[in-house]
Amino acid sequence: MESMEIDGGKTPSKGVNAGEEEKEKTKPIVLLLMGVPGSGKSTFCDEVMRISSRLWARVCQDTINNGKAGTKIQCLSLAASALKDGKSVFIDRCNIDREQRADFLKLGGPQTEKHAVVLDLPAKLCISRSVKRTGHEGNLQGGRAAAVVNQMLSKKELPKLSEGFNRITFCHDERAVKEAVNVYGSLGPLDSLPSGCFGQKNSDTKIQQGIMKFLKKADPPGNTGSEPTQKFIPNEIPVKKGSVFQRTKMGQRPSDESVEKFEKRNEVDITSTSGAISADSIPTLAFPSISTADFQFNLEKASDIIVEKVEEFISRIGNARLVLVDLSHGSKILSLVKAKAAQKNIDSNKFFTFVGDITQLHSQGGLHCNVIANAANWRLKPGGGGVNAAIFSAAGSALEVATKERASSLRPGKCVIVPLPSSSPLFLREGVTHVIHVLGPNMNPLRPDCLKDDYIQGCRILREAYASLFEGFISIVKSHGVVSKLNCGKSDEGIPTNDDQKTKREAVYESDKNKKCKGSQQDLEQKSKDKKVSKAWSSWAQALYDVALHPDKHKNVVLEMSDDVLVMNDAYPKARQHLLVLARVDGLDSIADVSREHISLLKTMHAVGLKWVDKFLSEDKSLLFRLGYHSVPSMRQLHLHVISQDFNSIHLKNKKHWNSFNTPFFLDSVDVIKEVKEAGTVTLKDDKFLAMELRCHRCRSAHPNIPRLKSHISSCQAPFPAALLQNGRLVSSEGTS
């Protein structure tokens, strides 16, 4: 489509009409970029517009006046005009404080969504970029830029949903920025994003310091950031070169007039910072204070026990998190626990307090919790008041039914772990997969089994209750790695990422710590050449190995077995039919280990897979299948995936799940056999494919999230890409394609 530039953004030429009907369905977005100079606001706009199918207009105050700096009024006028034309709008200004943002949040009608992307990158990175750049649109570079950045960094005010935003995304590093670019770049004209705050650091995190921090020029004692700070413009600034920080001359000190001119244009008047809890999708247990509400347990004693047990268990949860939740902003238990945890120097990334409704932490507070704890009654029944009634109500009848299957009653100090059915509203809306019912001691004479102020007994029971709760959470996170659980299908999410994070195991939960990956791409390539390279697999990754070499211990999961191979169901299938064909050869940990001597084994595995495909197709001719290997599995023992292409499964939950089966990362069995026969080894695909945007495996259309993608593929009837229809990669009732 022919396009032209408007203030750095692309917009259709006047002869193009997108259609009034589609225009009415589209929900335009006003996206405010917030960040100091050098944080990458303009680059963000350019990258999104380069890949997006949505119509965007960039409103940049530095160039709005015929290529020169303009006014806020001009920005508002141009933004309003772009919205009227059906475009979404980037507000490319610093937008440092609430007052700057207020007028832009009034743009558009009720259908216009208001988003913010906060580029809160490290101070030294922004300063270095600003100093070194040339030809900046607003002529903000060199020493003058460093001065402005320094002042802004010490004063900024982070946005809040209460200002009128539907969605706020906080980016604290370049990886997060890339993810945000992909999110907005993949939005189609009719797509929308979930509301809430995403990626924000703990509210206790101190505001970044600017240039003065790096020169060890501390603020005067008592300076809180709310009062004007002394302007200090040094003659040189540390700039990173390689791994060494060097001093780079910045020229003469800029005049206060030049600094103030830029501040005036961007309306810099920041007085404070604020924050909330990060919404990172890592294993998280949200729990209320047990026994301190309806059960009237002493708050001081309860807070001591909470901190004591958190301190005891915090080292065992890896990168998972514990979050104490209360509905009230004036909660005394939260205040007590927060203060005592700080005194104990407990890691605030692993344990913190949060104000919010425990049944709406994700949708209302942006905090994603896989597991929530319920302060239950001994009957494990709905009703009563407080947390118990709220959780049963929010989870629907599915929780009550699932709880009955687990237990009919509960003793004080004990817990019951209940996997939440996927039909539960709490699962669908909040992403909660387990509820842990826990019962503490009762000090309320109006309730059963009152201890009558026997705090010796009461404290013992409360300690048992928290220990039981935290043990239960740990078991949920780790149980998928226990051999006896046979969670052999949990390899998809456990593949290394580009930023060298440890492997995340594919399960209901994701846990970075204690997850061992197969190493870097270079390591993998070396391993395929040198079979003497050894790899230490963590205990959870040994499940398939144990099944393949000791099948007599796992007869209940083995579907078929011979001297060479074994067949079993994937424990967490990603489609209606999903099998694993395991090689029963010691030393074949993954596809990287195979060579020409294993061609016969690969053919046998493929043939066994096809036999099971024929069985499935005799039962349902509408199915289509692919057979293949992951380039970098997280589970030890070579295994072939036999998977139907409907991808209709509650276990398909995130981008890695999808991309591990629908990008070049998935190596078709027929191609593997051919390559090993010709080259003697397999070319492994880079894990960058796991971070690709979500695209339909049929029509290749892009989608912003898994729910949207699932909705699309359930009805998509487009033909498969030509490459899949060749060389037997796709198997149907009519034979291989």
Side-chain angles (χ1 to χ4, degrees):
M1 181 174 68
E2 184 181 353
S3 65
M4 61 181 179
E5 291 285 324
I6 291 186
D7 292 298
K10 293 181 180 179
T11 183
S13 60
K14 294 181 180 178
V16 178
N17 187 346
E20 291 300 322
E21 183 176 349
E22 180 174 312
K23 194 172 177 181
E24 290 179 2
K25 293 180 181 178
T26 303
K27 279 193 172 184
I29 297 172
V30 173
L31 176 54
L32 277 69
L33 276 300
M34 176 186 165
V36 299
S39 58
K41 299 184 294 297
S42 298
T43 301
F44 185 98
C45 298
D46 293 341
E47 288 295 317
V48 172
M49 290 189 291
R50 181 176 61 83
I51 63 176
S52 179
S53 61
R54 177 183 281 254
L55 298 178
W56 289 93
R58 173 181 169 234
V59 176
C60 178
Q61 190 163 332
D62 285 331
T63 60
I64 198 169
N65 190 15
N66 294 322
K68 298 181 181 180
T71 65
K72 179 179 180 180
I73 293 176
Q74 288 176 303
C75 292
L76 289 167
S77 176
L78 182 60
S81 177
L83 289 170
K84 187 176 180 181
D85 290 339
K87 306 180 188 70
S88 292
V89 181
F90 287 116
I91 307 300
D92 185 357
R93 303 169 72 249
C94 291
N95 294 313
I96 289 294
D97 67 347
R98 186 181 186 121
E99 185 177 346
Q100 284 190 52
R101 301 185 287 262
D103 289 332
F104 291 98
L105 290 171
K106 298 175 184 176
L107 289 168
Q111 294 300 311
T112 304
E113 293 193 355
K114 312 297 169 53
H115 293 197
V117 171
V118 183
L119 302 177
D120 192 24
L121 301 184
K124 63 172 175 265
L125 176 61
C126 298
I127 294 172
S128 177
R129 286 176 176 176
S130 301
V131 170
K132 293 189 293 184
R133 66 188 180 187
T134 59
H136 179 252
E137 292 171 331
N139 195 31
L140 190 67
Q141 54 209 30
R144 176 168 169 264
V148 174
V149 172
N150 183 51
Q151 290 187 323
M152 289 188 179
L153 283 171
S154 64
K155 301 176 183 178
K156 65 186 174 186
E157 181 180 25
L158 299 179
K160 300 178 181 179
L161 293 175
S162 59
E163 293 179 36
F165 289 104
N166 300 98
R167 178 185 177 93
I168 303 174
T169 303
F170 293 85
C171 302
H172 300 291
D173 54 43
E174 293 182 273
R175 176 174 172 268
V177 174
K178 290 179 181 178
E179 291 176 352
V181 167
N182 290 334
V183 167
Y184 283 96
S186 63
L187 281 178
L190 305 182
D191 294 329
S192 61
L193 292 172
S195 299
C197 283
F198 301 89
Q200 191 171 9
K201 290 182 178 178
N202 191 297
S203 59
D204 293 334
T205 301
K206 293 182 179 179
I207 193 163
Q208 292 189 60
Q209 294 301 308
I211 203 171
M212 297 172 73
K213 173 182 177 182
F214 304 111
L215 297 177
K216 303 186 184 300
K217 299 287 186 179
D219 284 341
N223 186 356
T224 64
S226 61
E227 296 296 327
T229 57
Q230 179 184 3
K231 294 184 180 179
F232 176 79
I233 313 300
N235 289 324
E236 52 186 20
I237 176 176
V239 177
K240 190 173 183 181
K241 185 176 182 181
S243 59
V244 181
F245 279 93
Q246 300 181 343
R247 296 287 183 179
T248 302
K249 290 291 182 180
M250 292 167 49
Q252 298 298 316
R253 170 187 174 122
S255 66
D256 288 345
E257 181 181 357
S258 63
V259 176
E260 290 170 0
K261 184 177 179 181
F262 184 83
E263 290 181 350
K264 183 175 181 181
R265 188 167 77 241
N266 289 277
E267 298 176 354
V268 182
D269 183 18
I270 310 97
T271 59
S272 65
T273 183
S274 59
I277 301 303
S278 170
D280 295 337
S281 56
I282 59 176
T284 303
L285 166 67
F287 64 97
S289 175
I290 302 169
S291 289
T292 56
D294 293 343
F295 296 99
Q296 299 181 2
F297 201 94
N298 179 272
L299 296 182
E300 284 286 351
K301 297 180 186 296
S303 60
D304 286 337
I305 292 173
I306 292 173
V307 174
E308 171 193 325
K309 303 312 289 185
V310 166
E311 187 177 29
E312 177 183 336
F313 280 86
I314 202 74
S315 62
R316 297 177 53 194
I317 64 173
N319 277 0
R321 304 182 298 187
L322 304 174
V323 185
L324 177 64
V325 177
D326 197 294
L327 192 60
S328 171
H329 283 275
S331 168
K332 185 175 180 181
I333 190 68
L334 290 192
S335 299
L336 289 169
V337 169
K338 185 175 181 179
K340 293 175 182 180
Q343 291 174 358
K344 295 281 189 178
N345 293 319
I346 294 176
D347 188 347
S348 61
N349 290 319
K350 292 185 177 182
F351 172 65
F352 50 86
T353 60
F354 192 88
V355 177
D357 184 340
I358 199 169
T359 66
Q360 301 181 64
L361 294 176
H362 187 236
S363 60
Q364 298 297 321
L367 178 66
H368 184 205
C369 298
N370 311 88
V371 188
I372 62 174
N374 175 34
N377 54 52
W378 72 272
R379 295 185 300 271
L380 292 175
K381 295 286 187 181
V387 172
N388 183 67
I391 289 179
F392 270 106
S393 176
S397 59
L399 175 59
E400 187 174 1
V401 172
T403 300
K404 286 181 180 178
E405 294 175 356
R406 295 277 167 163
S408 58
S409 63
L410 188 61
R411 290 190 296 116
K414 305 301 179 183
C415 77
V416 174
I417 302 172
V418 181
L420 198 58
S422 59
S423 59
S424 168
L426 205 53
F427 180 101
L428 296 171
R429 186 184 68 247
E430 302 295 324
V432 175
T433 54
H434 286 72
V435 172
I436 302 180
H437 298 297
V438 60
L439 181 61
N442 175 39
M443 297 296 180
N444 184 350
L446 300 179
R447 302 199 62 142
D449 303 319
C450 178
L451 294 178
K452 299 179 181 179
D453 291 330
D454 182 358
Y455 274 98
I456 295 177
Q457 176 78 342
C459 289
R460 181 186 64 78
I461 293 174
L462 190 58
R463 287 187 176 90
E464 290 180 359
Y466 280 111
S468 178
L469 171 62
F470 297 156
E471 287 283 7
F473 175 57
I474 291 172
S475 73
I476 292 171
V477 175
K478 292 186 175 181
S479 65
H480 301 288
V482 177
V483 172
S484 62
K485 291 293 183 180
L486 300 176
N487 291 338
C488 48
K490 299 177 179 174
S491 58
D492 306 331
E493 192 176 358
I495 300 167
T497 58
N498 280 329
D499 60 349
D500 294 328
Q501 289 181 340
K502 290 187 177 181
T503 304
K504 289 183 180 178
R505 194 166 164 252
E506 178 185 340
V508 179
Y509 303 100
E510 303 175 351
S511 182
D512 293 334
K513 192 145 185 178
N514 299 324
K515 308 298 190 229
K516 303 296 183 182
C517 67
K518 291 291 287 177
S520 65
Q521 184 68 16
Q522 184 178 0
D523 295 334
L524 292 168
E525 292 172 354
Q526 177 64 27
K527 183 169 182 176
S528 66
K529 297 176 183 178
D530 184 1
K531 302 305 175 185
K532 295 182 180 181
V533 175
S534 62
K535 173 64 183 177
W537 293 84
S538 56
S539 59
W540 63 264
Q542 303 283 350
L544 295 186
Y545 175 82
D546 191 70
V547 175
L549 299 186
H550 306 286
D552 53 306
K553 298 180 182 179
H554 310 290
K555 295 179 181 179
N556 59 320
V557 300
V558 177
L559 301 177
E560 176 186 347
M561 185 178 68
S562 68
D563 291 339
D564 299 318
V565 300
L566 178 150
V567 181
M568 62 187 297
N569 282 310
D570 190 298
Y572 284 80
K574 299 301 181 291
R576 287 168 57 190
Q577 299 293 350
H578 189 179
L579 289 179
L580 300 178
V581 181
L582 279 60
R584 298 192 60 212
V585 178
D586 196 3
L588 284 184
D589 290 348
S590 71
I591 198 65
D593 296 317
V594 302
S595 60
R596 285 191 177 93
E597 66 180 281
H598 302 116
I599 290 177
S600 177
L601 174 62
L602 294 174
K603 289 182 177 179
T604 298
M605 294 173 71
H606 187 81
V608 171
L610 287 178
K611 183 180 73 173
W612 279 89
V613 167
D614 289 339
K615 177 181 181 299
F616 292 139
L617 291 175
S618 67
E619 299 169 355
D620 187 348
K621 294 184 178 181
S622 67
L623 295 175
L624 295 163
F625 285 86
R626 282 182 75 184
L627 288 72
Y629 304 86
H630 286 137
S631 288
V632 190
S634 62
M635 301 293 287
R636 181 185 181 189
Q637 197 62 22
L638 179 67
H639 55 281
L640 172 72
H641 289 270
V642 180
I643 184 168
S644 59
Q645 297 300 286
D646 52 90
F647 294 104
N648 181 9
S649 169
I650 62 172
H651 302 297
L652 198 155
K653 297 182 178 181
N654 58 45
K655 181 182 287 188
K656 287 184 180 180
H657 290 171
W658 177 260
N659 285 339
S660 65
F661 287 99
N662 292 286
T663 67
F665 193 86
F666 187 73
L667 307 173
D668 286 284
S669 177
V670 290
D671 295 332
V672 167
I673 294 172
K674 180 181 178 181
E675 187 174 9
V676 173
K677 185 176 181 180
E678 295 176 353
T681 188
V682 179
T683 302
L684 303 176
K685 302 302 181 182
D686 195 278
D687 59 285
K688 66 182 181 182
F689 291 106
L690 299 178
M692 289 177 61
E693 62 185 349
L694 294 169
R695 287 191 173 274
C696 173
H697 59 321
R698 285 178 174 266
C699 69
R700 305 304 298 163
S701 60
H703 300 273
N705 51 49
I706 287 292
R708 287 293 187 91
L709 177 64
K710 283 187 173 182
S711 176
H712 168 81
I713 64 176
S714 66
S715 59
C716 182
Q717 296 298 316
F720 282 88
L724 279 183
L725 299 175
Q726 300 171 1
N727 302 329
R729 297 184 181 98
L730 201 62
V731 185
S732 66
S733 58
E734 299 176 359
T736 57
S737 300

